[in-house]
Amino acid sequence: MVATMSNGLLEALRIGVGFLWTAAWAIIMGLTVTSLVQVYVSKDRMAEVLGDGDLSGVTKATVFGAASSGCSFGAVAIGKGLFKKGAHAVNFLAFMFASTNLIVELGLMILILLGWEFLLAELLGGLILIAVMAVIVHLTLPENLFDEVRETLNEHDHEAGVTEDPTCGMEGTDEYTLTTDGGETLEFCSAGCMETYLQESSSRGGWRDELLSWGGWYKVGNQYRKEWSMIWKDVVAGFLISGFVIVFVPQWVWNTLFIQGDGLLVTAENAIMGVAIAVISFVGSMGNVPFAVALWGGGISFAGVIAFVYADLITVPVLNVYRKYYGWKVMLYILGVFFVTMAFTGFLMELLFDAFGIVPNLAGGETATERAYFKLNYTFYLNLIAFALSGFLLYVYRRGLGAPGQYRDPVCGMRTDDGEPSATHDGETYYFCSQTCKQTFEEAPDDYATGHPMEMANHDH
């Protein structure tokens, strides 16, 4: 008995770690792309463009959400900030869904672990889900309730002294503050966001110029670190849980929860049960993809699995955050809207894919227990490249290459101090990281001079 349990534990770990190894390069590459987008894609004030619940507002919310990926809790916190500023209910809901489901790293994970059919269902279904949700919200929205909640939320945050991080939109704390040249005190949610703000305030030139400087790569490395800090627990938990579910959950459990067979009622029940399992799974963000692999291996239908993947925004922990922010009534409304739209879209995707004959064949291919994960194949080499890229970004961040310091080298973007090489132009003194940058500046000072030295107050890296 003990030997059997030990073998089961080892097999569960082998499968969970094997899934993580298989998807590692996709996660790293996806987070790198996300970090580049977060740093270099210009963002307007979201409340100004998301105030109307029309087609244009929903589209902008979806696009911005897809470019603002993060964990479920991060998406909810940012959504709260948008809602407080006046974003229409349908727009902040669309933003939250897009920022957790229509993102690069999640798409790559789905492609590798579940296949292109699930990726297509995630992307196409995600857009359909947002459209259906918009219709339901416009037909059922208790506008007076939401207006009252918005007013109460603003009053509560004002009385409690809650401020918003100008970098990410989440709640700032007095632990991370700085004072601008204009005398305004800003609060940030973390040291990383404060560094991002300082880096952006000292940036000059376009994204091409930035990527040719250490300062630009420092910003990407800082954002990359922040992205990982938001999702790593969900990712690790999701992969490990998937291994244990595959090994230890008997088949009869899945057969009891999910009706087997064909027909519309079977497909509908599977989609509803997929969302229900997600609600109580406590696994959100990207961690629910490996869990979905376990469900798929257990014989759950296409509708049930894709509906489960959609439903990371209504897990019990996330619902509790909604309750704290907006109260029970709004929490239950969000749960109802998301539950119905997620189950319906999963149901619709199976019908649509079945009509085109592209529902994946569950009987084909190796099972998770039969599969060999650690081989000298393309995954191995892609992981080597991805780990090297990850190491480079973290090295740049840890070494502070280009990080905002007391002064910023106007040539390469690295932080400098008044003990470094310096030059004077038009009565202003500039500090450099090396003689090479100083010489470059002196050859064409007008190309680099900003009219004042880049001084960063209240920051020590």
Side-chain angles (χ1 to χ4, degrees):
M1 180 67 179
V2 175
T4 302
M5 178 62 69
S6 298
N7 291 335
L9 289 173
L10 290 174
E11 177 64 7
L13 288 173
R14 185 188 75 87
I15 293 173
V17 175
F19 281 163
L20 182 57
W21 170 258
T22 302
W25 69 268
I27 299 173
I28 292 172
M29 295 299 187
L31 289 177
T32 302
V33 172
T34 294
S35 299
L36 287 165
V37 171
Q38 290 279 67
V39 170
Y40 292 115
V41 174
S42 177
K43 306 176 185 69
D44 296 325
R45 298 291 297 178
M46 293 312 299
E48 296 177 2
V49 299
L50 300 185
D52 297 325
D54 55 10
L55 178 60
S56 175
V58 173
T59 301
K60 291 174 182 176
T62 302
V63 172
F64 188 85
S68 304
S69 66
C71 68
S72 303
F73 296 104
V76 172
I78 296 173
K80 172 196 172 188
L82 299 177
F83 177 69
K84 280 175 55 183
K85 295 180 194 175
H88 193 278
V90 72
N91 291 341
F92 93 85
L93 293 177
F95 170 88
M96 290 193 300
F97 180 81
S99 67
T100 55
N101 283 268
L102 302 181
I103 54 178
V104 176
E105 55 269 33
L106 182 74
L108 288 173
M109 278 185 63
I110 291 175
L111 177 63
I112 293 170
L113 296 178
L114 288 168
W116 68 267
E117 298 93 342
F118 281 94
L119 174 59
L120 179 60
E122 174 72 8
L123 298 177
L124 177 61
L127 297 177
I128 293 176
L129 186 152
I130 290 174
V132 172
M133 179 193 68
V135 173
I136 292 177
V137 170
H138 278 294
L139 292 176
T140 65
L141 180 68
E143 294 193 20
N144 291 336
L145 173 61
F146 272 75
D147 289 341
E148 291 173 5
V149 169
R150 193 195 320 269
E151 183 177 347
T152 302
L153 191 61
N154 279 302
E155 289 177 357
H156 174 270
D157 285 355
H158 178 72
E159 292 173 359
V162 175
T163 60
E164 182 181 300
D165 185 324
T167 302
C168 68
M170 296 176 67
E171 183 177 322
T173 69
D174 56 9
E175 183 178 357
Y176 306 103
T177 63
L178 63 82
T179 303
T180 66
D181 293 338
E184 180 184 7
T185 299
L186 303 176
E187 295 186 356
F188 301 84
C189 68
S190 65
C193 278
M194 185 168 72
E195 290 182 29
T196 299
Y197 177 85
L198 287 168
Q199 195 71 12
E200 289 176 351
S201 66
S202 64
S203 297
R204 53 187 310 280
W207 64 269
R208 293 181 179 86
D209 297 325
E210 287 281 304
L211 289 178
L212 293 176
S213 70
W214 283 120
W217 283 106
Y218 176 83
K219 288 199 292 186
V220 177
N222 181 32
Q223 185 64 37
Y224 178 77
R225 178 194 61 82
K226 287 162 56 181
E227 295 289 338
W228 264 117
S229 69
M230 290 191 291
I231 69 166
W232 76 269
K233 291 181 181 179
D234 279 334
V235 170
V236 172
F239 280 107
L240 292 181
I241 290 172
S242 68
F244 281 84
V245 168
I246 289 171
V247 172
F248 290 107
V249 177
Q251 186 60 43
W252 65 263
V253 173
W254 304 126
N255 293 341
T256 301
L257 293 174
F258 295 85
I259 300 174
Q260 305 298 303
D262 300 317
L264 295 179
L265 289 179
V266 172
T267 302
E269 188 274 344
N270 276 224
I272 293 171
M273 188 57 65
V275 178
I277 294 295
V279 171
I280 63 174
S281 70
F282 284 76
V283 179
S285 189
M286 294 168 61
N288 66 356
V289 176
F291 201 131
V293 176
L295 295 179
W296 183 239
I300 312 308
S301 72
F302 186 73
V305 174
I306 196 64
F308 173 87
V309 174
Y310 292 148
D312 61 325
L313 279 172
I314 51 174
T315 62
V316 170
V318 175
L319 290 174
N320 190 46
V321 176
Y322 293 144
R323 180 192 62 79
K324 290 180 179 178
Y325 283 168
Y326 312 115
W328 280 100
K329 291 182 180 179
V330 172
M331 183 272 283
L332 291 173
Y333 179 83
I334 293 174
L335 171 62
V337 169
F338 270 145
F339 196 106
V340 170
T341 53
M342 290 166 177
F344 172 77
T345 305
F347 170 78
L348 184 64
M349 285 298 100
E350 176 155 328
L351 296 185
L352 182 63
F353 278 48
D354 186 55
F356 284 94
I358 55 175
V359 173
N361 181 10
L362 182 60
E366 297 176 309
T367 65
T369 54
E370 296 170 341
R371 186 174 176 181
Y373 297 98
F374 306 99
K375 299 186 293 184
L376 196 64
N377 55 11
Y378 78 94
T379 299
F380 175 83
Y381 294 107
L382 287 174
N383 277 342
L384 284 184
I385 295 171
F387 292 152
L389 175 61
S390 183
F392 167 74
L393 293 175
L394 294 177
Y395 173 80
V396 170
Y397 173 75
R398 292 297 181 187
R399 285 293 303 273
L401 302 180
Q406 183 180 4
Y407 299 104
R408 178 180 181 272
D409 186 323
V411 176
C412 71
M414 289 183 64
R415 63 174 182 172
T416 60
D417 296 310
D418 54 13
E420 303 291 345
S422 63
T424 301
H425 177 71
D426 287 342
E428 298 288 354
T429 301
Y430 297 87
Y431 297 90
F432 306 89
C433 67
S434 65
Q435 290 292 343
T436 301
C437 282
K438 176 183 176 182
Q439 182 178 350
T440 301
F441 177 86
E442 290 175 337
E443 290 174 354
D446 290 334
D447 292 342
Y448 300 102
T450 60
H452 56 84
M454 296 288 188
E455 183 171 351
M456 301 300 168
N458 302 328
H459 180 74
D460 182 27
H461 178 75

